[in-house]
Amino acid sequence: MMKRSILTGQRLVAVFLFGCVLFNYPVIALFNKTGELLDIPLLYLFLFGAWGLLIGLMAWVIEHRQE
Amino acid sequence: MTKRILIVDDEPNIVVSLEFLMKREGFDVAVATDGEAALKSVEEKRPDLVLLDIMLPKKNGFEVCQTIRANPGLQAVKIVMLTAKGRDTEVAKGTALGADAYMTKPFSTKDLIAQVRQILGES
Amino acid sequence: MLQSWVIASVSFAYLGVLFAIAYYGDKRADAGRSIIANPTIYALSLAVYCTTWTFYGSVGRAASTGIGFLPIYLGPTLMAGLWWFVMLKIIRISKANRITSIADFVSSRYGKSHLLGGLVTIIAVIGIVPYISLQLKAVSNSFTILLHYPDIVMPARAAAQPLLQDSALYIALILAAFTILFGTRHLDATERHEGMVAAIAFESLVKLLAFVAVGIFVTFFLYDGFDDIFDRAELVPRLKALMTVDDTGASYGSWWSLTFLSMLSIMFLPRQFQISVVENVNERHLARAIWLFPLYLLLINIFVLPIAVGGLLHFPDGSVDADTFVLTLPMAEQQEALALLVYIGGLSAGTGMVIVETIALSTMVCNDLVMPVLLRWKSLRLHEEQDLSWLLLSIRRWAIAAILLLGYIYFRAAGEAYALVGIGLISFAAVAQFAPSIVGGIYWKGGTRQGAIAGLVAGFAVWVYTLLLPSFAKSGWLSLSFISEGLFGIGLLKPQQLFGLSGLGEIPHSLFWSMLANIGCYVAVSLRRRPDVVETSQATLFVDAFRHTEGDQRSRFWRGSAQVQDLLPLIGRFLGPERARDAFLIYARRRGVASIDQLEANADLVHYAETLLAGAIGGASARVMVASVVKEEPLGIDEVMNILDEASQVRAYSRQVEQKSHELEEATAELRAANERLKELDRMKDDFMSTVTHELRTPLTSIRAFSEILLEDPKTNLENRRKFLAIIVKETERLTRLINQVLDMAKIESGNAEWHTADIDLREVIEESLAATSSLFADKRIGLEKRLAGDVPSVRADRDRLIQVMLNLLANAVKFCEEDRGRVTVRLFAEGGAARVDVEDNGAGIAEADQPTVFEKFRQVGDTMTAKPQGTGLGLPISRQIVEHFGGRLWVKSSLGKGATFSFTLPLDAGEARQEERRQND
């Protein structure tokens, strides 16, 4: 059975909440503008960047958990 | 030679009665009403015997007894302790400190005199 | 030119490879060496989420709404963050209860209800069939388009084709056969299909590979990288608009609701439940999936927008359906191999979804819909059958075929009404209806069967009205006026602007109303009554899943008697006699029993049997079946509550133990203190006796000595005789006084003293006491000053006792004053509701440290410094006792050499005291 590390769970929930903020109004409205950064549309870059960041955070939390 | 007796008690009426008794028996009598006066009197007058009450002001009878016994020059002094507290522990304590006899108040005057004479080797 | 036989044979070859993988996986599983016992394979198999709807449809949606397609994949990413708690709990509950489908889960949670299981099954089938038809449509379209290679020809309306020439029909049939082979080769109590999972994981790799290949081709070969594509898009206003979402509230609302919807879908789509819960080999695998699965989603989406823009740039005239860009772009560039790879990728996405979804649905249909009916159908005489496993298998096989056929029928009838993405979202909205009952069910014990049914029915009804019926209308089965005018022409009932709610997209609109109805009914109906026995016990198993170790909990809710000879054949009828015997042997061995015959048919075994059966025919049916062969004594609700209480009692008990030991420590400390106090009291009593003895013996000594002197010597002179007799008399008086005071003290302390309480004027008491002691003052020539206030009210006290106190204080004052120079002041005044008397002298005074001791018995302060004072040493303690008896206080204020003031207070008469107080407050 998987040990339920409460700390790991809480970290993941924190990532979840962080993601909820990133992927919702008003934060996406900040990037919802025409314009490009590094020749990539701003919103596209932000969404995939934030997405990658969340995955990275989750991977870090999961792979560094202590059981 | 007349033996000298020092009476140490803080109850005036008891002092009066003891003084009268001892004088009547022909002893030379001195009186002290507290512990310190008693020690001073022992030094000065070198009594042959001390009738020593225990409940005394300034220094109690046990302390006085102990001090006398600690002085090599006073080894000849006999000590008879008198106490109104008749508990066994106090009798034992007095004897352990070097008292020659121990009498509980109220005492029979005859017994007291006999005891004093016996200790002084006069009977 | 790709010949149809080439495409067909590649397709079959691919399916063959899949089957080989599945076959190999099953073989390995049977041998106990699972090839899917690997977290990466688990995460890959979860990617069954990405169907042709993702593979082809995302690009189509991106081409029309731009970046707005993304929430469908952001939702699952977010949800993965909650899996650690939520998914793990569902997995653990399902394993402990052998739950094999989402319908089984809901039905088990709410007391193993057939009705609920059936309801969930029906909702799932109705909600998912369009989704299946979508897969058929996509695969058949891609086949048709590829067939025309290198020309790009959009497929004609499916309905226009003769039935027997419709590739979708053949695809449906082939998939049905394939699924039956995959999913129902044999019956397993756990409903796990390891081979299938391995094949699904493989398919996930293929579709990702194919999609990324197209993405790279379009982005880097057709165009010059991301920047090139986006730069070109900047120049076309229509394309530029795709890079942002509308900056309106409705648009953000829609973004949010799609995210929310996909969060629920990743949990409650039947295929996701099948893969993530039922097929889970080891719950540890969940951990890696939490980040690996979102990563998969990110990778498969990164090229969606570039491909959409590339397609729109490449086919500017709109002749090519954006849903086909993934396939048509490579075709337009004559990339034959790439086009074939894309086709295979799409095939992977479609078959993967269809296989898992139909297996999941067929399990539900069999266990929660068909079997309950058959088992009740007495004329079928099923209860006489020895082996029903064939029946179960064939029901499932027929169910698979029927579901696929339904999907095909839907495709023929309505498939053209919507773009692919539209159909997918309708299905999502249907399965979202399971969320309240399931999430509520695993976190809230108060949910009841009726509540779950009400919520599901209400939510589903709203879904039908606001999404399904409009889709029928758009397909031409209903009048379009239904959408534009509302039901019966009532504007408020417009299905997509219900009660006048406008400005939302159809999905957010439907999601809002259906969730409102669903959650509202679930909670409201649940709260109408207390959960009954079965609901309560099931609620505990589910909600407290993390607290219990597997198995032990369930048996506690069962009481009854059973026979192994009844149970074994029962299980054998559904699992097959061989498997049943094996399962019982495993159980026996685990218990350390040599043979099945020696097994004791206790609650544990009954539950083992029921669980085995639950895997095959669902929880509700299993319960009915087992109940038919065992005698169950029903537990009352009180008993169930008691069992539940036990658990909390154990927790409460450990808290109590902790508390008790703490209390014990405290009690020990108290006891020790009390013991010390007792010892102290004992010592004090001893001292008291010793002191009393001393005080008695001292006068006796004088009396005896003088009496003996007088007795022995009658000739004592007259002067001495008088003196001695006077001493005897005086000492006798002293003795009498002492005895009186000791007795007085003892009386007061024991509470036996007589008190004659009356209203007393303190002035009078003081005057009388002064008169009585005037000779003492006169003897020592001590001055007296009186300051007695005239307006002091009376006090309640014993007059004689107060005089006793005053006499004692005055005698003390005189005693410690020097002759001639002594001066005593007596004061009386009212103070704070009390009368106060001071007796001040200018004598020796009492050191601070000795002040408390003067009130102790026989403690005569000053013995050591001056001549022994007269008195018994009981006067002050007795005085204090008297004053305190009347509610007053007696104390001394003094410092050495500066005299002493003894003061006491007595409370004024109650009525007068109140007046006094009022006067002071004013």
Side-chain angles (χ1 to χ4, degrees), chain C residues 728-744:
Chain C
I728 290 174
V729 170
K730 213 173 163 192
E731 291 292 337
T732 310
E733 281 170 1
R734 177 178 167 189
L735 206 52
T736 312
R737 198 164 59 237
L738 181 73
I739 289 166
N740 284 341
Q741 289 203 333
V742 168
L743 288 177
D744 205 14

mmCIF file of all heavy atoms in Angstrom, chain C residues 728-744:
data_model
loop_
_atom_site.group_PDB
_atom_site.id
_atom_site.type_symbol
_atom_site.label_atom_id
_atom_site.label_comp_id
_atom_site.label_asym_id
_atom_site.label_seq_id
_atom_site.Cartn_x
_atom_site.Cartn_y
_atom_site.Cartn_z
ATOM 1 N N ILE C 728 1.937 29.407 96.250
ATOM 2 C CA ILE C 728 1.100 28.248 95.942
ATOM 3 C C ILE C 728 -0.248 28.705 95.382
ATOM 4 O O ILE C 728 -0.729 28.205 94.371
ATOM 5 C CB ILE C 728 0.903 27.374 97.200
ATOM 6 C CG1 ILE C 728 2.224 26.678 97.547
ATOM 7 C CG2 ILE C 728 -0.190 26.325 96.970
ATOM 8 C CD1 ILE C 728 2.187 25.907 98.854
ATOM 9 N N VAL C 729 -0.859 29.701 96.032
ATOM 10 C CA VAL C 729 -2.158 30.203 95.579
ATOM 11 C C VAL C 729 -2.044 30.760 94.161
ATOM 12 O O VAL C 729 -2.841 30.475 93.276
ATOM 13 C CB VAL C 729 -2.688 31.287 96.552
ATOM 14 C CG1 VAL C 729 -3.916 31.979 95.958
ATOM 15 C CG2 VAL C 729 -3.035 30.663 97.889
ATOM 16 N N LYS C 730 -0.991 31.566 93.932
ATOM 17 C CA LYS C 730 -0.810 32.195 92.625
ATOM 18 C C LYS C 730 -0.606 31.164 91.513
ATOM 19 O O LYS C 730 -1.199 31.241 90.424
ATOM 20 C CB LYS C 730 0.399 33.129 92.697
ATOM 21 C CG LYS C 730 0.249 34.353 91.812
ATOM 22 C CD LYS C 730 1.404 35.311 92.074
ATOM 23 C CE LYS C 730 1.496 36.297 90.935
ATOM 24 N NZ LYS C 730 2.768 37.032 91.030
ATOM 25 N N GLU C 731 0.195 30.178 91.820
ATOM 26 C CA GLU C 731 0.459 29.141 90.808
ATOM 27 C C GLU C 731 -0.787 28.302 90.550
ATOM 28 O O GLU C 731 -1.027 27.844 89.439
ATOM 29 C CB GLU C 731 1.626 28.243 91.249
ATOM 30 C CG GLU C 731 2.992 28.926 91.264
ATOM 31 C CD GLU C 731 3.499 29.286 89.884
ATOM 32 O OE1 GLU C 731 3.069 28.681 88.880
ATOM 33 O OE2 GLU C 731 4.324 30.222 89.780
ATOM 34 N N THR C 732 -1.595 28.137 91.635
ATOM 35 C CA THR C 732 -2.847 27.397 91.449
ATOM 36 C C THR C 732 -3.788 28.175 90.523
ATOM 37 O O THR C 732 -4.426 27.605 89.642
ATOM 38 C CB THR C 732 -3.527 27.157 92.809
ATOM 39 O OG1 THR C 732 -2.564 26.618 93.707
ATOM 40 C CG2 THR C 732 -4.687 26.197 92.678
ATOM 41 N N GLU C 733 -3.839 29.504 90.759
ATOM 42 C CA GLU C 733 -4.662 30.341 89.878
ATOM 43 C C GLU C 733 -4.190 30.220 88.426
ATOM 44 O O GLU C 733 -4.982 30.111 87.497
ATOM 45 C CB GLU C 733 -4.583 31.812 90.322
ATOM 46 C CG GLU C 733 -5.460 32.131 91.517
ATOM 47 C CD GLU C 733 -5.162 33.517 92.047
ATOM 48 O OE1 GLU C 733 -4.298 34.230 91.485
ATOM 49 O OE2 GLU C 733 -5.789 33.903 93.043
ATOM 50 N N ARG C 734 -2.848 30.245 88.293
ATOM 51 C CA ARG C 734 -2.276 30.145 86.951
ATOM 52 C C ARG C 734 -2.678 28.846 86.284
ATOM 53 O O ARG C 734 -3.071 28.798 85.109
ATOM 54 C CB ARG C 734 -0.740 30.239 87.057
ATOM 55 C CG ARG C 734 -0.010 30.080 85.746
ATOM 56 C CD ARG C 734 1.482 30.253 85.981
ATOM 57 N NE ARG C 734 2.268 29.826 84.849
ATOM 58 C CZ ARG C 734 3.597 29.722 84.898
ATOM 59 N NH1 ARG C 734 4.245 30.036 86.016
ATOM 60 N NH2 ARG C 734 4.256 29.318 83.830
ATOM 61 N N LEU C 735 -2.663 27.799 87.093
ATOM 62 C CA LEU C 735 -3.033 26.479 86.594
ATOM 63 C C LEU C 735 -4.495 26.466 86.155
ATOM 64 O O LEU C 735 -4.845 25.966 85.071
ATOM 65 C CB LEU C 735 -2.804 25.464 87.721
ATOM 66 C CG LEU C 735 -2.531 24.025 87.341
ATOM 67 C CD1 LEU C 735 -1.401 23.939 86.337
ATOM 68 C CD2 LEU C 735 -2.149 23.233 88.600
ATOM 69 N N THR C 736 -5.335 27.052 86.995
ATOM 70 C CA THR C 736 -6.762 27.106 86.684
ATOM 71 C C THR C 736 -7.001 27.874 85.377
ATOM 72 O O THR C 736 -7.745 27.436 84.497
ATOM 73 C CB THR C 736 -7.523 27.814 87.824
ATOM 74 O OG1 THR C 736 -7.099 27.254 89.061
ATOM 75 C CG2 THR C 736 -9.023 27.660 87.639
ATOM 76 N N ARG C 737 -6.341 29.054 85.298
ATOM 77 C CA ARG C 737 -6.507 29.883 84.110
ATOM 78 C C ARG C 737 -6.105 29.102 82.858
ATOM 79 O O ARG C 737 -6.782 29.117 81.827
ATOM 80 C CB ARG C 737 -5.649 31.139 84.257
ATOM 81 C CG ARG C 737 -6.025 32.278 83.322
ATOM 82 C CD ARG C 737 -5.409 33.584 83.798
ATOM 83 N NE ARG C 737 -3.968 33.533 83.873
ATOM 84 C CZ ARG C 737 -3.275 33.778 84.977
ATOM 85 N NH1 ARG C 737 -3.881 34.073 86.103
ATOM 86 N NH2 ARG C 737 -1.946 33.722 84.967
ATOM 87 N N LEU C 738 -4.981 28.418 83.009
ATOM 88 C CA LEU C 738 -4.474 27.656 81.853
ATOM 89 C C LEU C 738 -5.475 26.590 81.421
ATOM 90 O O LEU C 738 -5.809 26.459 80.244
ATOM 91 C CB LEU C 738 -3.141 27.001 82.224
ATOM 92 C CG LEU C 738 -2.513 26.202 81.102
ATOM 93 C CD1 LEU C 738 -1.945 27.143 80.045
ATOM 94 C CD2 LEU C 738 -1.422 25.286 81.622
ATOM 95 N N ILE C 739 -5.964 25.858 82.420
ATOM 96 C CA ILE C 739 -6.906 24.783 82.087
ATOM 97 C C ILE C 739 -8.155 25.365 81.430
ATOM 98 O O ILE C 739 -8.633 24.865 80.419
ATOM 99 C CB ILE C 739 -7.261 23.990 83.354
ATOM 100 C CG1 ILE C 739 -6.050 23.172 83.775
ATOM 101 C CG2 ILE C 739 -8.444 23.066 83.111
ATOM 102 C CD1 ILE C 739 -6.159 22.605 85.175
ATOM 103 N N ASN C 740 -8.640 26.478 81.989
ATOM 104 C CA ASN C 740 -9.820 27.116 81.404
ATOM 105 C C ASN C 740 -9.592 27.519 79.949
ATOM 106 O O ASN C 740 -10.433 27.304 79.077
ATOM 107 C CB ASN C 740 -10.206 28.361 82.213
ATOM 108 C CG ASN C 740 -10.896 27.976 83.506
ATOM 109 O OD1 ASN C 740 -11.392 26.848 83.636
ATOM 110 N ND2 ASN C 740 -10.890 28.871 84.479
ATOM 111 N N GLN C 741 -8.438 28.117 79.709
ATOM 112 C CA GLN C 741 -8.179 28.593 78.347
ATOM 113 C C GLN C 741 -7.993 27.449 77.360
ATOM 114 O O GLN C 741 -8.457 27.519 76.222
ATOM 115 C CB GLN C 741 -6.962 29.516 78.341
ATOM 116 C CG GLN C 741 -7.276 30.855 79.026
ATOM 117 C CD GLN C 741 -6.360 31.955 78.589
ATOM 118 O OE1 GLN C 741 -5.218 31.684 78.195
ATOM 119 N NE2 GLN C 741 -6.832 33.187 78.660
ATOM 120 N N VAL C 742 -7.303 26.401 77.837
ATOM 121 C CA VAL C 742 -7.136 25.248 76.932
ATOM 122 C C VAL C 742 -8.500 24.682 76.583
ATOM 123 O O VAL C 742 -8.797 24.381 75.425
ATOM 124 C CB VAL C 742 -6.235 24.169 77.572
ATOM 125 C CG1 VAL C 742 -6.316 22.873 76.776
ATOM 126 C CG2 VAL C 742 -4.812 24.644 77.643
ATOM 127 N N LEU C 743 -9.361 24.560 77.596
ATOM 128 C CA LEU C 743 -10.699 24.036 77.329
ATOM 129 C C LEU C 743 -11.478 24.978 76.402
ATOM 130 O O LEU C 743 -12.162 24.538 75.481
ATOM 131 C CB LEU C 743 -11.455 23.853 78.645
ATOM 132 C CG LEU C 743 -10.980 22.688 79.515
ATOM 133 C CD1 LEU C 743 -11.746 22.653 80.833
ATOM 134 C CD2 LEU C 743 -11.159 21.360 78.757
ATOM 135 N N ASP C 744 -11.356 26.265 76.659
ATOM 136 C CA ASP C 744 -12.018 27.276 75.843
ATOM 137 C C ASP C 744 -11.610 27.121 74.384
ATOM 138 O O ASP C 744 -12.429 27.070 73.468
ATOM 139 C CB ASP C 744 -11.594 28.652 76.371
ATOM 140 C CG ASP C 744 -12.644 29.699 76.047
ATOM 141 O OD1 ASP C 744 -13.756 29.297 75.671
ATOM 142 O OD2 ASP C 744 -12.331 30.899 76.169
#
